Amino acid sequence: MDTRTLAGIGILSLVLFACDGDKGIDDDGTSDGGATDGGGDGGGDGGDGGDGGTSGDDCGGDIASACDFQIDAKAGYAQADEVIAEEGDRDFFKMSLGAGQSIAVGTIAYAADGDMEPDTVLRLYDSAGTLLATNDDMPFRLQETDSALYFQAPTDGDYYFEVLEWGDWDGSGGNGGDSYEYTLIAYEVVQLDPEPDNDDFASVVAYTKAGNYVYYGNGWTEDGSLPYQFFGDMDAAGDTDLFPIDWTLKEEDERVWCQYSVWPTWLGDFQPSFALYDGDGNMVAQNDSPVYSLDRYYYYDGAVMMADQGVVFGEMGEVGGGQTYYLEVSDLGGMSGVGTFYPGLMECYTWNTEVVTVEDIDTDNNLPALSRDVLMNESSDGTAWYGYMVGGINAMGIPADELDSWRISSAGTGGSLDGKILNIVLQSKGVGQFLDAAITVYEDDGTTVLTSASSNTFDDNGDPAIESFEIDSDTASIYVVVEAEDAAMVPDANQYLAFIWISEAE
């Protein structure tokens, strides 16, 4: 398994408000109104075992011999304590669900002792044995190698969960033994969207100003930390759900990006779409494919990027000043009722400025002569250098911000750029922003073009990438210019993250 994490990004300690500005979610995850960060309303932290569910003998290795695994009505959850006893051992669990019943189910292994024994994979089947969903690691690796799924039963019936070890699933060779213990936990999810009071802007504003809350959950974190979760469904054809997000920056140097995604699971024919609006009703991000995918973390030549699903929005608010944004959830297919349940996630980051180079203001690098120097970091084997650039184009600025220029010096990449291989991957449209960007790379004179790109060869989102370009020049530095071919006429809707990877030629 690839165990790289977002090395350039530190998780933000954020003040998240669920209603008007004088009440909110504190750093310990509890709201001033007295409710916890989800609790009985669908959050929960999985519990510590107690008297719920089943536990004991090794469960069977197929559906026919699955252990009974039911949510105890009194305890509020199901629990089974099991072990991957040997290589290839698999455990199956049967749960009976009614149509429309929504549950969360996950493993606790790494979270218990931190030794990755076992590294779990969780699979979900219907009563006919059809595989519906698989989860290796939770989004954002919430519990590192532990696994979890959310699921709404489309019909009454029995459903099955399978737990196996990662090597067995991957085909690289399974592991097992007495130390490969895990706990499977499940609980019912109660939706958190206050229908019909969050169907439009006027309704949700009136609802929160009246002192009501729109709650967010913490299903798999014990300390109330990010990511926050939100749950809902489409109650009628054409329904939309809006979730207010009120928060305050704490420090002058915080540059914040938040990502809103759907937990990857079985969604049937439901086609969720996310849009993010500012307090004035301007759309600042939108994505019709918001389901999170771990695979997208590492999708190009070692690039450690934002997961390329959901909507991403950066630098919200001002220090000390409260700002309100609204996440809108809708269905592209116009479905409603059972089958439209969505488990949402909100994760936020601040940039580690020892690794990431961030544009200070929109117009501070509009010319090569004003370029920001990109901090390049050497790989552990000394054969490559990498860096990140975070910026944005403000088409409405005075003067208009039409391009950003960044400088990479030979001194920061082993003393010479000549003969090295350059890769640059930019993300904007792929994470819900509206910037249609192009990249041009110049020699150190700022006029001689080395290469350029306005698209890429590995996906269809339209973001540009410089792919495996050999620098055939003894230039002392290169300028990387990000320019808008098209941009939204809305402030803060044209932001981007770019990853740079320079390596020795093979």
Side-chain angles (χ1 to χ4, degrees), residues 71 95 97 100-105 124 149-153 159 161 186-189 341:
I71 295 176
M95 178 175 286
L97 296 172
Q101 190 173 359
S102 302
I103 63 164
V105 59
L124 166 67
L149 287 167
Y150 288 85
F151 175 63
Q152 182 181 62
Y159 296 86
F161 303 100
Y187 59 91
E188 189 165 0
V189 175
F341 166 74

Side-chain angles (χ1 to χ4, degrees), residues 235-266:
D235 292 273
D239 183 28
T240 58
D241 294 339
L242 283 95
F243 293 85
I245 304 156
D246 299 350
W247 62 286
T248 303
L249 285 181
K250 296 180 179 179
E251 299 178 10
E252 290 287 347
D253 61 352
E254 285 186 337
R255 307 296 292 271
V256 180
W257 276 49
C258 292
Q259 178 170 338
Y260 309 87
S261 307
V262 175
W263 192 290
T265 189
W266 182 84

Side-chain angles (χ1 to χ4, degrees), residues 6-70:
L6 289 172
I9 302 170
I11 292 179
L12 170 69
S13 176
L14 186 74
V15 177
L16 174 70
F17 295 87
C19 58
D20 53 44
D22 61 349
K23 294 184 179 180
I25 303 296
D26 296 325
D27 287 340
D28 64 357
T30 58
S31 72
D32 295 335
T36 65
D37 55 315
D41 293 318
D45 60 10
D48 60 357
D51 299 321
T54 58
S55 177
D57 296 336
D58 185 55
C59 287
D62 55 31
I63 285 176
S65 56
C67 288
D68 196 45
F69 185 65
Q70 308 297 334

Side-chain angles (χ1 to χ4, degrees), residues 56 107 115 139 310 313 326 347 440 477 489:
T107 61
D115 65 3
F313 181 57
Y326 298 88
E347 177 68 296
T440 305
S477 61
M489 299 301 290

Side-chain angles (χ1 to χ4, degrees), residues 115 246 363 374 421 434 473:
D115 65 3
D246 299 350
T363 57
V374 179
I421 305 301
F434 297 108
S473 171

